[in-house]
Amino acid sequence: MSAPLYDLVVIGGGAAGLMCASVAGQRGLRVLLIDHSERRAEKIRISGGGRCNFTNLEGDRLERFTGGDPRFARFALRAYPPDRFINLVRAHRIGFHEKHKGQLFCDQSAEQIIDMLLAECAAGQVDERRPCRLVALHRQGMGSEACRFQVDTDLGAFHARAVAVATGGLSIPKIGATDLGYRIARQFGHRVVTPRPALVPLVFDPAAWADFVTLAGVACPVRIQTGQSPPFDEDLLFTHRGLSGPAVLQTSSFWRPGLALTIDLLAGADASDWLAGERNGSGRLPLASVLSHRLPRRLAALWSERLLGETLAHRKLAELGRRDLDRLTTGLSAWSLQPTGTEGYRKAEVTSGGVATDEIDPRTLQSRRVPGLYFVGEVVDVTGWLGGYNFQWAWASGYVAGHSLGR
């Protein structure tokens, strides 16, 4: 008996894969969706504390995406901007709210987004095999467009006119992340930009960080930068091994070994002006007490001791000389720390790097090397900021691929 023939086989049942399959199916193609996991769309399920930060109101702003070619994502983000996904959410009567800086979350559960995508797949009569492990993917020589690929799985073989690789990255291996998409890309001659953890906490040398271990759990708003990154105004969180919180997760996508973090503990306020005002009103207070007006008390005490020494940190602010005030001003507005690494894929929200975009058509997400082969979502070298941007890329890239196939 010959293998079943599909117009499209989608490998990977996460956000981008479900979107691609549903769009192609609703445009009249016979679609098969396969995934090695027993549970559907685990990354959607656990995102946003279980409520899924499914997009951002500014999720089509190109400058909030990074990769080898920042312009690559432009067409997809314009073709399928946040409003289109929001309208889909509304059509399925899913309540949602804006939490912070345009980030949209479900009122109830991330399961609602999964159910919505499955309903969209059902509307397109998408077939599904799960759990279904890919064994091999073969190109059918230079065969006809009607049957370009053979997809061998542990549940049998399938033929396909096109294959969409939506396998995600390496982040959060405990939910099944693998390098399958990168292996497929290399098999067909595509270059893969070295993957690395992104949107991930940063760690420091244990000896250098020993004094800060006691601050684990302390958080405060800061402005932070590294290298050529934009400045991020977000909350910083101290951990036993280093720094986390939205400020560091955002910055981590730009951090490279050897780079330092520059942290403005006053989050953009002028340190000189602030200290001058405090000298007039609180000059008779110890420095650590003055700093606690803007910083968490434990951080104010430890930070001032590390910067100026224990004796000066407990001197009255009005008693500090010009040199010490200058050190204090610089330290508050440009505290420099050099991480030694990241918490790795187990704590990373996404994977940066991936299939290089120079051999993918941005208007279709089809390989320029292999007709009928598509790459969508996180497997591609496109990484968004924290806050719904990576889901928006998943929806947009999945839509563009599914729509182009259905033409």
Side-chain angles (χ1 to χ4, degrees), residues 136-323:
L137 178 62
H138 305 284
R139 190 178 182 191
Q140 299 288 83
M142 299 301 290
S144 70
E145 183 176 332
C147 182
R148 286 175 169 149
F149 300 94
Q150 179 170 317
V151 184
D152 293 333
T153 78
D154 57 357
L155 298 182
F158 307 94
H159 287 152
R161 178 169 67 89
V163 168
V165 179
T167 50
L170 298 171
S171 305
I172 321 179
K174 69 180 181 181
I175 63 171
T178 75
D179 66 346
L180 176 61
Y182 309 139
R183 285 187 275 125
I184 293 173
R186 292 188 182 105
Q187 173 190 340
F188 289 101
H190 278 267
R191 182 172 60 89
V192 174
V193 177
T194 302
R196 56 187 180 81
L199 303 185
V200 62
L202 298 174
V203 298
F204 294 80
D205 175 75
W209 196 250
D211 289 345
F212 293 102
V213 169
T214 60
L215 296 180
V218 171
C220 62
V222 300
R223 174 171 291 174
I224 187 170
Q225 271 185 287
T226 187
Q228 299 301 311
S229 79
F232 291 103
D233 294 322
E234 295 281 4
D235 284 352
L236 180 78
L237 174 68
F238 287 82
T239 72
H240 287 94
R241 287 165 46 84
L243 295 172
S244 186
V248 168
L249 298 188
Q250 292 281 37
T251 309
S252 69
S253 294
F254 300 87
W255 180 80
R256 301 291 186 276
L259 289 179
L261 305 178
T262 301
I263 301 171
D264 179 353
L265 290 168
L266 297 185
D270 187 286
S272 295
D273 289 349
W274 180 72
L275 285 171
E278 290 293 329
R279 280 172 70 90
N280 291 332
S282 305
R284 307 310 298 172
L285 293 177
L287 173 60
S289 297
V290 174
L291 293 177
S292 70
H293 295 169
R294 291 294 297 260
L295 304 177
R297 185 172 297 277
R298 287 159 56 197
L299 173 60
L302 179 58
W303 182 85
S304 57
E305 290 175 5
R306 285 290 301 268
L307 181 73
L308 298 177
E310 188 171 353
T311 301
L312 284 177
H314 294 282
R315 292 270 298 275
K316 294 175 183 178
L317 177 59
E319 296 174 353
L320 294 184
R322 173 50 53 192
R323 180 179 298 178

Side-chain angles (χ1 to χ4, degrees), residues 376-401:
V376 296
E378 190 179 349
V379 74
V380 180
D381 181 26
V382 173
T383 304
W385 285 13
L386 182 73
Y389 293 92
N390 289 291
F391 272 132
Q392 184 57 38
W393 166 246
W395 315 136
S397 60
Y399 170 83
V400 165

